[in-house]
Amino acid sequence: GSVVASYPYDDSPTHKTTGVYSKSADDEVFKYLAKAYASHHPIMRTGKPNCPDEEGETFQDGITNGAQWYDVEGGMQDYNYVWANCFEITLELSCCKYPPASELQQEWENNRDSLLAFIEKV
């Protein structure tokens, strides 16, 4: 896990593991939506999730193009965009994929304003 808003494309023509910006036709819209979420999240907006074993990982403005971060061939985000014209972003909300129940209230607090800002934009 991480704390970042990722947007299409997750796949790139080269299928290089990482570092390839894979721009979609609606790249500016996706960046706008991703920033709308990230800018209201107290951790995401810093661009420094500080996840264990990935302490040096950073994301400018708390967002990333999926393929630039890591290439995912055949992912749902890209499939839905290409074949159903769905504009989706992927939200990585925690370094921990399964946070304990004791942390869920804080996760809600971290994401509430982001979610409302995102809904307003949509």
Side-chain angles (χ1 to χ4, degrees):
S2 192
V3 184
V4 65
S6 173
Y7 56 91
Y9 286 118
D10 285 335
D11 194 5
S12 68
T14 63
H15 303 299
K16 195 173 165 190
T17 306
T18 186
V20 177
Y21 195 99
S22 191
K23 186 176 180 178
S24 73
D26 296 294
D27 197 63
E28 291 303 314
V29 174
F30 283 120
K31 287 194 289 190
Y32 175 76
L33 293 173
K35 282 182 183 179
Y37 196 96
S39 67
H40 290 85
H41 190 286
I43 298 167
M44 197 178 293
R45 71 174 164 232
T46 70
K48 299 176 185 173
N50 201 28
C51 294
D53 299 324
E54 298 289 340
E55 288 86 357
E57 188 170 59
T58 61
F59 303 99
Q60 186 175 345
D61 298 321
I63 69 172
T64 189
N65 173 261
Q68 188 168 25
W69 184 21
Y70 64 91
D71 193 273
V72 175
E73 188 175 353
M76 285 300 298
Q77 179 172 261
D78 291 357
Y79 179 87
N80 288 337
Y81 173 57
V82 171
W83 297 105
N85 201 32
C86 293
F87 283 49
E88 298 179 10
I89 63 172
T90 298
L91 301 168
E92 298 270 344
L93 301 179
S94 173
C95 296
C96 176
K97 293 278 187 187
Y98 305 101
S102 61
E103 295 177 12
L104 293 181
Q105 183 62 38
Q106 184 61 54
E107 289 298 330
W108 168 244
E109 295 297 326
N110 288 347
N111 288 282
R112 181 187 57 227
D113 292 343
S114 295
L115 182 58
L116 293 172
F118 183 74
I119 290 169
E120 287 174 0
K121 303 300 182 204
V122 173

